Amino acid sequence: MTLIADDHTDSQLVSTDPRDGSPVGSWPIDGPAQVDAAIAAARGAAEWWRAQGFAGRRKHLQAWKTEIAEGARELAAVISQETGKPEGDALLEVVLTLTHLDWASKRAGKVLSRRKVASGLASYNQSASVGYEPYGVVGVIGPWNYPFYTPMGSISYALAAGNAIVFKPSELAPATAKWIEAAWNRAVPGHAVFGVVVGDGATTGAALVAAGVDKLAFTGSAATAKRVMAAAAERLTPVVIEGGGKDAMIVAADADLDAAAGFAVFGGMGNAGQTCAGVERVYVEEGVAEAFVAKLVAAVAKLHPGPEASDSYGPMTLARQSEIVARHVGEALDRGAVAVVGGRESIAGGYVQPIVLRDVPEDCAVVTEETFGPVLVVNPVRDLDEAVARANATDYGLGASIFTKDLRKGRALAERLRAGAVTVNSVLGFAGIPGLPFGGRGESGFGRIHGADGLREFSVVKSVAVQTMKPMLDLLTMERSAKDMHLAERMLHMMHGRRGKR
Ligand code: NAD
């Protein structure tokens, strides 16, 4: 299957600031030929990178980290220009990302070094071990909402595991990717271990998927993920999918309502609601619903979206996202939802003012689909069982949060939620804990970035069994003796049959 019409394009990709439309930069769009060249360069460097071993890679990744840290303000300014988010939010993205890069580079050796495993009674004459090898070249396809933190969640862990990278950023954020690439080239000059190709999904993204990388790490919407997987299936290229979310927050009657309201605003409205694991739905026990909504309304009233660094959040990064927000909000209001903050009139121009809806029918799109705007749905529930049932009644399964003063209850509820990551008494608390794997289920995708599982995600498992002595029972031969088979049968009954249980 070929998704690409042209073999080369001379068109330019122009990145613009969504706050005022001013250009941030422009680059030639990379077509299949350029993508192939980038993969070939990465493949050439991959052997060198692998040969550095864990200690060598750690040194280089630490040098890259330092280079990024020294330029953090400059990088944050680029992220802010391309996404429209306030620079403080962009700087926070850099801080969190470097925590992961640091952890991955230091822990890869411990997690991925070959380790012995027990060989068991029947194979006592074998020495068994498990090792983890890099895939080779990993293709990374990124989104625009966290154009540094999100793709680096794959890139940092894949590099630490010994892979070379070809990264195709979102067409909305090429300058951020080019900045990271330049920092790499300063930190590790002369080695094309990390390369960037720029362009839209249909041209450059599809070329990367079709070109035969050894593994793909995709972050984006479920709809695109399905197209990427279908194309990757042509070569049986393994994929890890970090998709969207429709995260629920559960507020128990015994919760600290001020904290819950504060986190709901941060998780729901921060970054203009354009956060994969942000809060989109709140289920609050009915006894405290009025008090919670009052606190939420008071907290939301303090928000002031705008273009300045001191504003609460910026415009919609992708202009057409406002249409989705308008459709979701409009349908909910038509079907009887109550707007306690904002409404249809909140969506005008590039900015969306905060919207809080309550008593929304559960089959409205604003409850079932990713809205990706500063919109919170608050629905009262009879009890926590109903809250769990509603939280789980979505095709997505990325994150979820629970607010209760009873931490035991919080932990027990966390076990019942169909989500890849759950926080108790905070939202997005996992984002800065590098030891915690991150990823979803259902429409939110599969596979994990971050943590030891994130390192293993970008590794091929290799098992080795070494025969260290001749076995007493020689069964792996074409000339098995009747005596050995008799003994084997007796062993079988001793170990696995009723006789063994006596
Ligand atoms: P998107 O699906 O529109 O695009 C994602 C990437 O895929 C872009 O780089 C795009 O150019 C590329 N692409 C598009 N078509 C392609 C094709 N046919 N072949 C290969 N690549 C193709 O998503 P987006 O709008 O950029 O990002 C927002 C989405 O990402 C939201 O759903 C959000 O929840 C999700 N997201 C998830 C996570 C996570 O970690 N789970 C993190 C951030 C964002």
Side-chain angles (χ1 to χ4, degrees), residues 65-348:
K65 186 192 78 170
T66 305
E67 198 62 40
I68 296 169
E70 290 302 316
R73 281 231 158 251
E74 192 184 294
L75 172 58
V78 177
I79 295 171
S80 171
Q81 277 170 8
E82 288 200 306
T83 58
K85 66 178 73 173
E87 258 182 64
D89 284 5
L91 196 63
L92 183 61
E93 205 178 319
V94 178
V95 173
L96 289 176
T97 306
L98 293 192
T99 308
H100 283 278
L101 178 56
D102 185 59
W103 192 93
S105 70
K106 289 178 178 163
R107 295 300 174 96
K110 192 168 171 3
V111 174
L112 301 178
S113 292
R114 181 161 286 280
R115 59 182 162 77
K116 291 198 93 165
V117 296
S119 42
L121 189 59
S123 301
Y124 71 95
N125 63 321
Q126 312 262 3
S127 159
S129 66
V130 181
Y132 298 87
E133 295 177 354
Y135 275 92
V137 178
V138 173
V140 176
I141 298 177
W144 45 263
N145 58 337
Y146 291 89
F148 183 54
Y149 175 78
T150 294
M152 283 292 283
S154 298
I155 292 165
S156 305
Y157 289 80
L159 281 171
N163 301 282
I165 304 289
V166 176
F167 171 35
K168 194 216 82 72
S170 163
E171 47 274 52
L172 271 55
T176 301
K178 286 289 182 183
W179 194 99
I180 311 168
E181 187 186 39
W184 172 271
N185 289 332
R186 289 195 298 276
V188 194
H191 297 285
V193 173
F194 174 77
V196 170
V197 289
V198 298
D200 60 8
T203 309
T204 315
L208 183 59
V209 178
V213 290
D214 303 301
K215 174 131 189 174
L216 272 166
F218 171 85
T219 309
S221 61
T224 311
K226 288 169 193 174
R227 282 200 292 278
V228 166
M229 265 189 86
E234 292 292 308
R235 288 176 180 258
L236 275 187
T237 306
V239 293
V240 45
I241 301 287
E242 297 293 342
K246 191 72 198 174
D247 293 8
M249 171 191 277
I250 294 177
V251 182
D254 67 350
D256 174 340
L257 296 184
D258 289 302
F263 275 112
V265 174
F266 176 72
M269 312 279 175
N271 203 31
Q274 303 166 118
T275 301
C276 56
V279 179
E280 300 217 353
R281 303 174 290 152
V282 182
Y283 295 111
V284 51
E285 283 198 281
E286 58 194 7
V288 294
E290 294 310 321
F292 172 75
V293 170
K295 287 176 189 295
L296 186 62
V297 170
V300 170
K302 295 185 195 146
L303 298 181
H304 47 93
E308 305 301 331
S310 57
D311 285 324
S312 318
Y313 60 79
M316 303 309 284
T317 305
L318 183 65
R320 65 173 184 276
Q321 192 67 30
S322 300
E323 293 162 24
I324 296 173
V325 176
R327 174 167 63 80
H328 286 191
V329 171
E331 184 213 9
L333 293 175
D334 287 346
R335 294 193 48 205
V338 179
V340 287
V341 178
R344 288 178 228 268
E345 69 286 359
S346 308
I347 308 152

Side-chain angles (χ1 to χ4, degrees), residues 25-47:
S26 83
W27 296 266
I29 292 179
D30 291 312
Q34 291 78 21
V35 169
D36 283 348
I39 293 172
R43 219 171 267 300
E47 275 311 305

